Amino acid sequence: MELGESAENYLETILLLQREHGPVRPVEIANRLGFSRPSVCHAVGLLRQAGYLESEDGRLRLTPKGEAAAGEVFERHLLLCRMLRSFGVGEEAAGKDACKMEHIVSEETVRCLRAAFGEAPQRGPIVRQGGHNRRG
């Protein structure tokens, strides 16, 4: 399964929720993303079939494969935020723009961002397109 923007957003959201309080219920994903529960359940099913998620007692946890994929998206987000902030872009605008850019940026660009800004911190503010602030 090649990950598209939607799948990457789900994995990143699950990563952040999991860091906040451990295994995640689908309703928490729906609430965070503002999606319907049936939509979330469908997406979760696809991600589980592809080996990105595992489920136990109705709670979801990223597999090592899912953790790696989500971590890459999260790192791209943080690096892009850092770059935009260095140009003087405000925190909220940088977060929203990074959310859009994180899905299309090339590996070459990510390598250059790492070289310019260092490794991305593992935790930082995330501003979603819908304006939901989250801490990673």
Side-chain angles (χ1 to χ4, degrees), residues 23-28 44 48 54-61:
V24 179
R25 294 178 301 135
V27 68
E28 295 168 308
V44 161
R48 193 169 45 229
E54 57 190 15
S55 178
E56 185 178 318
D57 298 327
R59 294 191 176 266
L60 303 166
R61 183 183 354 266

Side-chain angles (χ1 to χ4, degrees), residues 1-79:
M1 171 184 192
E2 185 173 321
L3 292 176
E5 180 176 343
S6 178
E8 287 183 345
N9 281 334
Y10 274 100
L11 291 173
E12 185 179 22
T13 297
I14 294 166
L15 173 72
L16 296 174
L17 286 168
Q18 193 172 283
R19 285 182 178 178
E20 288 173 15
H21 53 75
V24 179
R25 294 178 301 135
V27 68
E28 295 168 308
I29 301 166
N31 290 341
R32 180 67 59 98
L33 292 174
F35 295 160
S36 71
R37 286 175 54 182
S39 293
V40 169
C41 288
H42 176 73
V44 161
L46 294 174
L47 290 168
R48 193 169 45 229
Q49 286 176 355
Y52 292 98
L53 296 174
E54 57 190 15
S55 178
E56 185 178 318
D57 298 327
R59 294 191 176 266
L60 303 166
R61 183 183 354 266
L62 293 166
T63 63
K65 178 181 176 180
E67 182 86 27
E72 288 175 18
V73 176
F74 187 52
E75 180 189 27
R76 289 192 309 254
H77 179 92
L78 294 175
L79 286 168

